[in-house]
Amino acid sequence: MSGHKLSSLAVDIRRVAAEAGVSIATVSRVLNNPGRVSPQTRERVLEIATRLGYRPNPNGKRLRKGRAETIGLVIPSPQGRFADSFFLELLAGLGEGLSDAGLDLLVATCPPGAEELACYRRLVEGKRVDGLVVARTRRYDERIAYLLEQNIPFVSHGRSDLISTPYPYLDVDGRQGFYMATQHLLHLGHRDIAYIGAPHELNFATHRLAGFQQAMLEASVPIRPEWLLEGDLSEKSGHQLAQSLLEPPELPTAILCANDLMALGVLRALRERGLRGGREVSVIGYDDIPQAQFSDPPLSTVHQPFRDTGKRLVEMLLARLGGAPVSALQEVWVPELVLRGSDGPPQT
Amino acid sequence: MSGHKLSSLAVDIRRVAAEAGVSIATVSRVLNNPGRVSPQTRERVLEIATRLGYRPNPNGKRLRKGRAETIGLVIPSPQGRFADSFFLELLAGLGEGLSDAGLDLLVATCPPGAEELACYRRLVEGKRVDGLVVARTRRYDERIAYLLEQNIPFVSHGRSDLISTPYPYLDVDGRQGFYMATQHLLHLGHRDIAYIGAPHELNFATHRLAGFQQAMLEASVPIRPEWLLEGDLSEKSGHQLAQSLLEPPELPTAILCANDLMALGVLRALRERGLRGGREVSVIGYDDIPQAQFSDPPLSTVHQPFRDTGKRLVEMLLARLGGAPVSALQEVWVPELVLRGSDGPPQT
DNA sequence: GTACGTGATGTAAACGTTTTCCATACCTTA
DNA sequence: TAAGGTATGGAAAACGTTTACATCACGTAC
């Protein structure tokens, strides 16, 4: 109304400085290094800055400081539809801490496969991000190798066992998770336990399988090779493999699935045969996705706290950007077995 | 080996210019305005630029051009877990077109509610984005109002009926979708149809309800007020409302749900009562989320092509950024009714 | 032969910050 | 009182681009 609209369009540091009768250096200091300026001027500049609604132009800042003030996440988008909201939860967890730290979150999506690395290249070589979080690690993860080689800060959600150089990671111990799950089944009296694993190139596939194997070994229960399957993590895949598993003559009394989606597929296969999950056949999944609560029967599974994980990942990344040593940034969390309705003692 | 590693660390436009024996202006022109430079030099500069692996520093460019070269998406993160992967699909759709256009995608997450607008403010007033896509529109959407007022380019996924100023949107016609769904139920012979709606502040809630009402009205079938419910879009909510609906004496023969998650909750409630969805009670949802294929019975629903939608949204936003008039950027798509197993003729 | 368009290039000024120096004034201390 | 530290603030140089403007050579039309 009284303010001249046009002149207010560009309120830069110069404008604030002029208005306050100080140099732009002082304004900058007030905002970035408040201790270096006297309380009176600081006060005045602050007052004027807020009155004018001054927001430092991030591009000026970024150029000057040589940083992107941005961290990146690349999401591989499946050909089909996203069935599992892992990345969404991760995003939610990341977002929180990041905006507090004044960092932006750059998300790139790309078809999985070869293009993925190109996507990382674009982000780091194009100086678009200061750091990255990588998720869904593979046993030998070329993304991690690349980032290490480029010496750019990153944190990994999940480890990459075949990479020997130390790097920061936060992993949830799938080995432990399935060790517990298997023990639970064994205690219930199961001996005929089938396993539907994840694609072996995924790092967690190995861990989860190892947990299963260890528990079986310790209990001296043999694992039948024909009951050791590998799915692609989709519902459909679980469904299909379960069908083969449920062919007579011999049925397993329990099926352990490397993720919930496949476990849900298994439950569906059971229903279709008139078998009831948790009665005739026990099923345990991994992840604790939201649908797990509502399946029929509700799915027993290993809970992964994706969102907390996301939060912690940004803390770690921030620490890394701040120069923390890698050795202080390696964490393995212990997951929690949550029992719902899909497990029970074997039918005799 | 032969190359000096340190000097290659910072390969900027100056370096390329020096190497090619031209001015930096020429290098810049080669990259941005190739026609303005002679074929020979263009060739030479190009060759050197690729040999050196030159990538223009985005911050220099952004500062100079006064653009962020980034578009924003803010995702409201629910208190609980994300159950529905709508935003992921949208992201996948957006990502594709954006990186082709050389734009980055900035994602912010925030708790829904008052902070949401603050999040938008931060992005636009902080000049962090050139444009935005807003999703999950409300009937009066203050985000749209704000963006219009700020005169910043954006595209909306879904309309906001109470905002009269024209703005670019891409909507899927929920009215039409539920008109078709209701007609289908009516043709099957249903008369006692219950409706579980979405929170009324959401814009699509009105549309979907209107489609239902219109079909019922045209068929002269009365809508029973006690069968007109409103849920919060969660599975739990659908489950709970279905329970109340299934109290005798009078049961609806069909239940229409404003989204799939609630419909899945309804199916669960039916199962718990020993009723079979599609037989005793028909259920139709909306969205066609991945789980819909695998529910028991598979859910009949109205398909929304989220990913295509995302793709188109970036095309529209790009057009908008390029100066296309709003009037050319308003689209309403017609959804598709996909019938699976959860609908059928009423039991008499 | 002069004037003039045209095409190709260079010069230099931005864009909005942060930060390194300096300069000044003041206070402390011997 | 001189010397030296300590706050405080300004001037100016970056950061890496793009682009308006100037320059220059060259052909062409009169």
Side-chain angles (χ1 to χ4, degrees):
Chain A
M1 209 148 216
S2 60
H4 197 312
K5 200 57 180 285
L6 288 205
S7 66
S8 81
L9 271 187
V11 43
D12 60 355
I13 200 176
R14 238 170 293 272
R15 174 88 184 283
V16 178
E19 205 93 359
V22 297
S23 75
I24 62 170
T26 300
V27 177
S28 176
R29 277 190 283 253
V30 167
L31 267 42
N32 301 309
N33 207 351
R36 278 259 312 150
V37 60
S38 84
Q40 301 93 311
T41 39
R42 186 199 315 153
E43 207 59 29
R44 184 157 38 99
V45 168
L46 231 37
E47 192 266 336
I48 292 191
T50 57
R51 178 160 60 73
L52 261 47
Y54 168 64
R55 314 266 203 136
N57 182 315
N59 293 327
K61 182 179 213 159
R62 295 201 250 245
L63 178 56
R64 171 61 225 233
K65 304 190 86 160
R67 300 211 208 92
E69 309 217 277
T70 298
I71 77 121
L73 174 69
V74 0
I75 302 183
S77 51
Q79 322 76 322
R81 308 192 102 194
F82 280 102
D84 125 27
S85 45
F86 160 60
F87 280 103
L88 225 33
E89 289 290 335
L90 193 63
L91 267 179
L94 292 176
E96 206 161 316
L98 279 180
S99 60
D100 290 350
L103 295 183
D104 287 341
L105 176 60
L106 170 51
V107 171
T109 61
C110 68
E115 301 194 48
E116 200 176 358
L117 201 53
C119 197
Y120 279 83
R121 301 195 99 91
R122 207 180 71 90
L123 294 191
V124 344
E125 285 164 35
K127 294 201 192 323
R128 302 181 117 76
V129 299
D130 298 322
L132 289 149
V133 2
V134 352
R136 280 277 156 82
T137 49
R138 291 181 279 273
R139 247 160 91 66
Y140 178 82
D141 203 304
E142 64 280 354
R143 301 169 299 172
I144 292 184
Y146 170 71
L147 295 175
L148 281 171
E149 176 199 322
Q150 294 287 319
N151 198 30
I152 183 169
F154 72 97
V155 191
S156 169
H157 181 266
R159 283 163 286 180
S160 179
D161 290 343
L162 265 31
I163 290 196
S164 50
T165 319
Y167 56 91
Y169 60 77
L170 167 54
D171 200 1
V172 175
D173 192 350
R175 195 167 172 294
Q176 176 69 10
F178 263 5
Y179 179 73
M180 298 187 303
T182 308
Q183 275 200 328
H184 173 71
L185 290 173
L186 289 167
H187 288 151
L188 284 172
H190 291 276
R191 290 296 174 269
D192 300 321
I193 309 181
Y195 186 88
I196 299 185
H200 64 278
E201 68 269 17
L202 291 177
N203 200 68
F204 68 73
T206 318
H207 291 188
R208 294 179 195 176
L209 176 59
F212 167 66
Q213 288 172 323
Q214 182 187 351
M216 294 290 272
L217 185 66
E218 286 180 10
S220 304
V221 177
I223 298 176
R224 301 178 43 161
E226 69 272 27
W227 285 353
L228 215 47
L229 305 173
E230 181 177 313
D232 69 1
L233 298 179
S234 71
E235 208 270 2
K236 185 169 295 185
S237 159
H239 179 256
Q240 183 180 321
L241 291 173
Q243 284 179 323
S244 75
L245 235 29
L246 298 176
E247 286 301 326
E250 294 188 275
L251 272 59
T253 62
I255 304 178
L256 203 56
C257 301
N259 76 337
D260 281 354
L261 240 31
M262 292 198 296
L264 293 176
V266 171
L267 287 180
R268 181 160 64 96
L270 290 177
R271 276 198 307 272
E272 288 170 1
R273 306 236 161 178
L275 300 173
R276 181 147 173 83
R279 304 287 298 165
E280 285 86 354
V281 179
S282 287
V283 177
I284 295 188
Y286 196 111
D287 279 348
D288 196 12
I289 61 177
Q291 296 109 285
Q293 298 173 56
F294 306 127
S295 59
D296 179 24
L299 185 65
S300 298
T301 187
V302 179
H303 179 78
Q304 291 222 71
F306 288 136
R307 199 174 295 194
D308 297 339
T309 276
K311 269 198 227 170
R312 181 64 188 143
L313 279 171
V314 338
E315 290 173 10
M316 293 173 71
L317 187 50
L318 258 30
R320 185 72 185 125
L321 288 168
V326 171
S327 58
L329 298 173
Q330 301 183 321
E331 295 184 11
V332 177
W333 291 6
V334 174
E336 187 188 350
L337 182 62
V338 357
L339 297 176
R340 298 205 175 93
S342 67
D343 67 288
Q347 303 286 76
T348 49
Chain B
M1 209 141 224
S2 60
H4 197 311
K5 200 55 181 285
L6 289 205
S7 67
S8 81
L9 271 187
V11 44
D12 59 356
I13 199 175
R14 235 170 296 270
R15 174 88 185 283
V16 178
E19 205 93 359
V22 297
S23 74
I24 61 170
T26 299
V27 176
S28 176
R29 276 191 283 255
V30 167
L31 266 42
N32 301 309
N33 209 348
R36 286 248 317 139
V37 60
S38 85
Q40 302 92 311
T41 40
R42 187 198 316 152
E43 208 60 31
R44 184 159 38 98
V45 169
L46 232 37
E47 193 267 335
I48 292 192
T50 56
R51 179 160 60 75
L52 262 46
Y54 169 64
R55 314 265 204 138
N57 181 316
N59 294 325
K61 181 179 214 158
R62 294 201 251 246
L63 177 58
R64 169 62 224 230
K65 304 191 87 159
R67 301 210 206 92
E69 308 216 279
T70 299
I71 78 119
L73 173 69
V74 0
I75 302 183
S77 51
Q79 324 75 325
R81 309 191 101 192
F82 280 101
D84 122 29
S85 47
F86 161 59
F87 279 103
L88 268 183
E89 289 291 335
L90 193 64
L91 267 179
L94 292 176
E96 207 161 317
L98 280 180
S99 60
D100 290 350
L103 294 183
D104 288 341
L105 176 59
L106 169 51
V107 170
T109 61
C110 68
E115 300 192 48
E116 198 176 357
L117 201 53
C119 197
Y120 279 83
R121 301 194 98 92
R122 206 180 73 89
L123 294 190
V124 343
E125 286 163 35
K127 296 202 193 321
R128 303 180 116 75
V129 299
D130 299 323
L132 289 149
V133 2
V134 352
R136 279 279 157 82
T137 49
R138 291 181 278 274
R139 250 162 88 65
Y140 177 82
D141 203 304
E142 64 279 353
R143 300 169 299 172
I144 293 184
Y146 168 71
L147 294 174
L148 281 171
E149 176 200 321
Q150 295 287 321
N151 197 31
I152 183 168
F154 72 98
V155 192
S156 169
H157 181 265
R159 283 164 285 182
S160 179
D161 290 342
L162 265 31
I163 289 195
S164 50
T165 319
Y167 56 92
Y169 60 77
L170 167 54
D171 201 0
V172 175
D173 194 348
R175 195 169 172 292
Q176 176 70 11
F178 263 7
Y179 179 74
M180 298 188 302
T182 308
Q183 275 199 330
H184 173 70
L185 290 173
L186 289 166
H187 288 151
L188 285 172
H190 291 276
R191 290 297 174 271
D192 299 321
I193 308 181
Y195 185 87
I196 298 185
H200 63 279
E201 67 270 17
L202 291 177
N203 200 68
F204 69 72
T206 318
H207 291 188
R208 295 179 194 176
L209 177 59
F212 168 65
Q213 288 172 325
Q214 183 187 351
M216 293 291 270
L217 186 66
E218 286 181 9
S220 304
V221 177
I223 297 176
R224 300 180 40 164
E226 69 273 25
W227 286 353
L228 215 47
L229 304 174
E230 181 178 310
D232 68 2
L233 297 180
S234 70
E235 208 269 4
K236 186 169 293 186
S237 158
H239 180 256
Q240 183 179 321
L241 291 173
Q243 284 180 322
S244 75
L245 235 29
L246 297 176
E247 286 302 324
E250 294 189 275
L251 272 58
T253 63
I255 305 178
L256 203 56
C257 301
N259 76 336
D260 281 354
L261 240 31
M262 293 199 294
L264 293 176
V266 170
L267 287 181
R268 181 160 63 97
L270 289 177
R271 276 198 309 271
E272 289 170 2
R273 307 236 160 181
L275 300 172
R276 180 147 175 85
R279 303 287 296 165
E280 286 86 353
V281 179
S282 287
V283 178
I284 295 187
Y286 197 111
D287 279 347
D288 197 12
I289 60 178
Q291 297 109 286
Q293 299 173 55
F294 306 125
S295 59
D296 177 28
L299 185 65
S300 299
T301 186
V302 179
H303 178 78
Q304 291 221 71
F306 287 136
R307 198 173 296 195
D308 297 339
T309 275
K311 269 197 227 169
R312 181 62 187 144
L313 279 171
V314 339
E315 291 173 11
M316 293 173 71
L317 186 51
L318 257 32
R320 184 72 185 125
L321 288 168
V326 172
S327 59
L329 298 172
Q330 301 183 321
E331 296 184 9
V332 177
W333 290 6
V334 175
E336 187 189 349
L337 182 60
V338 357
L339 297 177
R340 298 203 175 93
S342 66
D343 67 289
Q347 306 285 76
T348 49

